[in-house]
Amino acid sequence: MADIKLTLVVACALVDTDKRVLIAQRPEGKALAGLWEFPGGKLEPGERPEETLIRELHEEIGITVKEACLAPLTFASHGYDSFHLLMPLYICRRWEGDVIAREGQKLAWVRANKLRDYPMPPADIPLIPHLIDLLI
Ligand code: 9L3
Ligand code: MG
């Protein structure tokens, strides 16, 4: 089998006190524009997944998260033509600061059993049942 590029991305289910989950719409001009995703992004060289998530959550939605408040929940995996995406999903219920769309993206707080109403990238869709089991 030919070598295939493995891309590591980390994502977070941010859960509020009403058990709603934050999703963000990918902006125009980016890959998968218009689809709704659990916030996160690619690991930079040398980063641990938790460090990536803390950085991305601050960059994208302005919040400060302590590493102890990030708990791993499951993994997503999806094979594209030119790379394989592996994406751990963390859950976070405590953070500091207000959630704000720092990149102009649309944000939505959604109950886990309504997440299927939002078109998502293929890697994110199989994560929904895990969130339903946990939160509904
Ligand atoms: N991706 C999929 N679901 C997510 C995230 C955060 C990312 N919840 C995919 C989209 C891109 C790749 O991972 O193919 C890298 O994401 P970005 O760096 O373009 O945000
Ligand atoms: Mg991102």
Side-chain angles (χ1 to χ4, degrees), residues 6-8 10 15 17 30-32 35-36 40 52 65 67 71 80 86 88 95 103 105 111 114 120 128 131:
L6 177 66
T7 300
L8 268 173
V10 63
V15 178
T17 50
K30 266 195 165 184
L32 307 169
L35 299 183
W36 293 84
T52 306
V65 175
E67 185 162 335
Y80 288 96
L86 186 63
W95 59 90
E103 296 179 342
Q105 72 278 42
R111 288 195 194 285
K114 299 283 182 210
M120 287 188 157
I128 296 174
L131 293 170

Side-chain angles (χ1 to χ4, degrees), residues 6 17 24 31 53-54 62 83 90 93 133:
L6 177 66
T17 50
L53 216 41
I54 288 168
F83 67 101
Y90 284 71
R93 298 174 189 264
D133 284 350

Side-chain angles (χ1 to χ4, degrees), residues 11 26 33 52 78:
R26 292 181 64 85
T52 306
H78 184 75

